[in-house]
């Protein structure tokens, strides 16, 4: 049996990403707790395509594509 974690990611074009996670079952036997992580990146990002997922092994995977410069 596993518990599901709902994740959300918010970002701004300046490169700040806020990732939050909430287990569907707060009182779970695995000790999974809600979390919030803030990451500041050194370059501008594409906030629309930013995503975050928690794997079955508890790893937080974040996809943050860098903004393409207008040429």
């Amino acid at each position: 049996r596993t518990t599901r974690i709902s994740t959300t990611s918010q970002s701004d074009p300046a490169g700040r990403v806020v990732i939050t996670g909430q287990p569907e079952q707060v009182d779970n036997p695995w000790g999974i707790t809600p979390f919030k992580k803030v990451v500041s990146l050194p370059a501008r990002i594409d906030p629309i395509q930013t995503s975050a997922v928690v794997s079955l092994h508890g790893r937080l995977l974040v996809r943050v594509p860098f903004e393409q410069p207008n040429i």
Side-chain angles (χ1 to χ4, degrees):
R1 184 177 157 128
T2 61
T3 189
R4 291 177 44 142
I5 300 174
S6 172
T7 59
T8 60
S9 63
Q10 296 176 326
S11 59
D12 60 29
R16 195 173 91 111
V17 182
V18 179
I19 304 143
T20 56
Q22 178 71 39
E24 287 184 353
Q25 182 184 358
V26 178
D27 185 25
N28 61 76
W30 301 277
I32 299 170
T33 60
F35 65 88
K36 178 179 180 179
K37 301 291 180 192
V38 179
V39 180
S40 293
L41 300 172
R44 294 177 68 84
I45 62 173
D46 183 346
I48 295 172
Q49 294 187 36
T50 300
S51 63
V53 141
V54 176
S55 75
L56 290 175
H57 301 288
R59 291 186 177 168
L60 177 62
L61 308 170
V62 183
R63 181 180 178 275
V64 182
F66 288 100
E67 185 177 74
Q68 298 298 317
N70 293 334
I71 300 174

